[in-house]
Amino acid sequence: IATYIPGSMLLFTVWDQDGGIKTDDLLGKATLKSEEFWPGGFEGELLLTEDGSRTETSKLKVKVMPVYEGPESITGLNVRKRIMKTYRKQVEANPDSITGFGVRKKIRRPYRDLKSLYARKKREAKVALIEMSAPLRAQVLFVTRESVKGALTGDPDLPLSWRKQFRRIVDDIWQDVLMEVEIAVEEAKLGVGGQAYHDVLSLREVGTTPRCCSLLWARAFVLYHFLPFDRSFFGCLRDPVFLVLFVVSA
């Protein structure tokens, strides 16, 4: 439309041409506002109505592409045509943008990047704080272990052989305590980053297998059957050892 003025609305009228002496029948009208197709163009369906109010179900598929048809280039470089062509490409690349340049996205992107950077630095600070607590944590565990030993062997009438045995048992058990504490700390560190430290399969590889028929082996046997890490409560009910231990402890 050579005489189109930007800002004007387009009106589409659809007729049924019967030919002969019969008059043509009006099938419907559709309107397209200027901001819907200028300057980026429009391709889609418009609802047809008798008065163009878009309330019926009949549709008209149209494609409108504005083309700059101004006077010949003054400079000979076709600057205006190149600008319009570039602008149409911008509009096509950013269909959700009002201007076609994605200004809102460009404004929001630094904010999202800053927010992501803040969250990452916050996680790194938490991990660093956990790692800084390692010496203090080791000192607390050492003092706790010695306190447990002192409480068990503090009786002056306790035989020397029993005292040594109690200390050895505490040392053996304390290895498991240290391992559980370190596992919990590692899980906390990875949990800050949204990761998981162990699953059911990897838990089988933690620690060393105790010697058969030793005290540690008996303890591991009882713990696994009474408090298994890879079975639910209903799975435990199928284990006869669990049932025996459950009845004894009840």
Side-chain angles (χ1 to χ4, degrees):
I1 304 176
T3 59
Y4 175 76
I5 300 176
S8 303
M9 177 179 62
L10 295 182
L11 174 63
F12 299 89
T13 305
V14 182
W15 297 85
D16 178 21
Q17 186 176 10
D18 296 322
I21 60 175
K22 296 181 63 178
T23 58
D24 297 338
D25 297 326
L26 176 63
L27 299 181
K29 299 179 181 180
T31 58
L32 186 63
K33 296 180 180 180
S34 176
E35 59 266 22
E36 295 182 283
F37 69 89
W38 182 268
F42 174 84
E43 182 176 4
E45 295 180 340
L46 303 177
L47 297 178
L48 287 175
T49 62
E50 185 66 26
D51 57 357
S53 59
R54 302 187 185 183
T55 58
E56 302 295 333
T57 57
S58 300
K59 297 180 180 180
L60 174 65
K61 187 173 182 180
V62 299
K63 180 178 180 180
V64 180
M65 181 58 65
V67 178
Y68 179 76
E69 295 293 348
E72 295 296 330
S73 175
I74 299 175
T75 62
L77 301 177
N78 295 320
V79 177
R80 285 173 293 184
K81 289 186 178 181
R82 293 181 181 181
I83 293 175
M84 291 299 297
K85 184 178 180 181
T86 303
Y87 182 64
R88 282 197 296 269
K89 290 182 178 180
Q90 287 287 340
V91 173
E92 293 174 357
N94 300 278
D96 298 331
S97 176
I98 298 176
T99 62
F101 292 99
V103 177
R104 288 176 297 178
K105 291 183 179 179
K106 293 179 180 179
I107 294 176
R108 293 173 182 172
R109 187 178 298 117
Y111 171 74
R112 289 195 299 266
D113 294 342
L114 181 61
K115 187 176 180 180
S116 176
L117 177 63
Y118 170 75
R120 186 173 71 254
K121 293 299 183 181
K122 185 178 179 180
R123 290 194 299 268
E124 293 176 355
K126 289 182 178 180
V127 172
L129 183 61
I130 293 175
E131 293 177 348
M132 289 173 57
S133 66
L136 180 61
R137 185 171 65 249
Q139 184 178 359
V140 170
L141 289 173
F142 174 78
V143 173
T144 304
R145 184 189 66 179
E146 295 304 316
S147 298
V148 172
K149 287 182 179 180
L152 292 176
T153 61
D155 188 354
D157 298 328
L158 186 68
L160 181 60
S161 59
W162 287 27
R163 185 177 289 109
K164 291 181 179 181
Q165 186 70 12
F166 284 159
R167 287 181 174 274
R168 188 179 64 83
I169 292 175
V170 171
D171 289 336
D172 290 340
I173 295 177
W174 210 253
Q175 295 300 320
D176 290 339
V177 174
L178 293 177
M179 180 176 294
E180 290 296 330
V181 170
E182 292 304 319
I183 289 175
V185 171
E186 192 66 24
E187 287 179 344
K189 289 169 56 179
L190 295 178
V192 170
Q195 303 177 9
Y197 180 53
H198 282 300
D199 54 15
V200 174
L201 296 178
S202 63
L203 280 174
R204 296 180 181 273
E205 308 300 328
V206 176
T208 57
T209 304
R211 189 174 66 256
C212 181
C213 300
S214 63
L215 179 62
L216 293 178
W217 176 86
R219 183 180 62 84
F221 178 83
V222 173
L223 287 176
Y224 175 73
H225 286 279
F226 192 62
L227 298 172
F229 64 89
D230 57 350
R231 283 182 293 182
S232 64
F233 175 75
F234 296 101
C236 293
L237 293 179
R238 302 172 60 183
D239 184 8
V241 178
F242 171 80
L243 296 177
V244 172
L245 295 174
F246 182 78
V247 173
V248 171
S249 62

